[in-house]
Amino acid sequence: MGALPQSILFCCDHNAVRSPMAEGIMKKLYGFETYVQSVGVVNDLEIDGFAIAVCDEIDVALSRHRSRSFDELEENGEALSGFDLIVALSPASQRRALDLTRFYHLSVEYWPIMDPTGLGETREQKLNSYRQTRDQLMDRLRNKWGAAA
């Protein structure tokens, strides 16, 4: 198990599904031991309702999450250089993170987490896809930093 970083930024394509789920689950598992934020390559979607629903099942509240992009993070005064670790959850966000941080001394990791959007026909099938993504994130976090909470 690795030591928890002091600060971590999760990123994906839209900051509407995977990265907010990762942020919420990280906060639930490790509390305030680590400063956690999330962003997307672009901010063109609101938080996904299925992501909210499956995280509610494990007492992770996402309904108040407001999506934002890498650019908005910086515009709001948070420099990428202030994070110890950036975890990219999509290939596009990995490329963007590596490009933006090429002059910084921080780690960028890629975790290939399933994108559940567009999977399943019925509501229950869709929820099951989102649960798989949630559970992949939970497993990855616990395997990386131990089984807290």
Side-chain angles (χ1 to χ4, degrees), residues 18-36:
R18 289 171 287 182
S19 58
M21 289 171 84
E23 177 186 353
I25 293 167
M26 180 87 182
K27 287 175 178 175
K28 177 181 175 57
L29 290 177
Y30 304 103
F32 296 104
E33 293 181 55
T34 298
Y35 178 71
V36 184

Side-chain angles (χ1 to χ4, degrees), residues 4-148:
L4 280 170
Q6 286 188 332
S7 57
I8 185 170
L9 178 67
F10 291 101
C11 57
C12 64
D13 295 341
H14 304 278
N15 194 222
V17 179
R18 289 171 287 182
S19 58
M21 289 171 84
E23 177 186 353
I25 293 167
M26 180 87 182
K27 287 175 178 175
K28 177 181 175 57
L29 290 177
Y30 304 103
F32 296 104
E33 293 181 55
T34 298
Y35 178 71
V36 184
Q37 291 294 315
S38 66
V39 295
V41 174
V42 294
N43 171 18
D44 59 351
L45 298 173
E46 293 299 318
I47 184 76
D48 187 289
F50 288 111
I52 293 170
V54 300
C55 283
D56 279 347
E57 295 173 353
I58 61 167
D59 296 321
V60 172
L62 295 185
S63 61
R64 297 182 64 198
H65 176 80
R66 296 294 164 252
S67 299
R68 62 184 177 164
S69 67
F70 279 104
D71 294 337
E72 289 168 305
L73 180 79
E74 296 255 350
E75 288 166 9
N76 292 330
E78 282 198 77
L80 289 178
S81 60
F83 289 94
D84 296 317
L85 174 64
I86 297 177
V87 175
L89 304 171
S90 70
S93 66
Q94 179 190 27
R95 284 190 300 277
R96 182 79 169 132
L98 288 170
D99 183 51
L100 290 171
T101 63
R102 65 187 178 276
F103 301 115
Y104 302 139
H105 182 72
L106 59 85
S107 297
V108 176
E109 292 184 10
Y110 173 59
W111 295 0
I113 301 295
M114 180 182 84
D115 180 359
T117 60
L119 298 178
E121 298 294 321
T122 66
R123 175 174 170 73
E124 194 56 37
Q125 289 171 339
K126 288 179 185 299
L127 285 170
N128 284 334
S129 295
Y130 280 75
R131 286 180 187 115
Q132 287 177 26
T133 297
R134 176 200 66 201
D135 295 346
Q136 281 181 349
L137 288 164
M138 184 93 71
D139 290 345
R140 193 72 190 246
L141 289 165
R142 285 186 169 147
N143 288 335
K144 178 101 178 150
W145 292 299

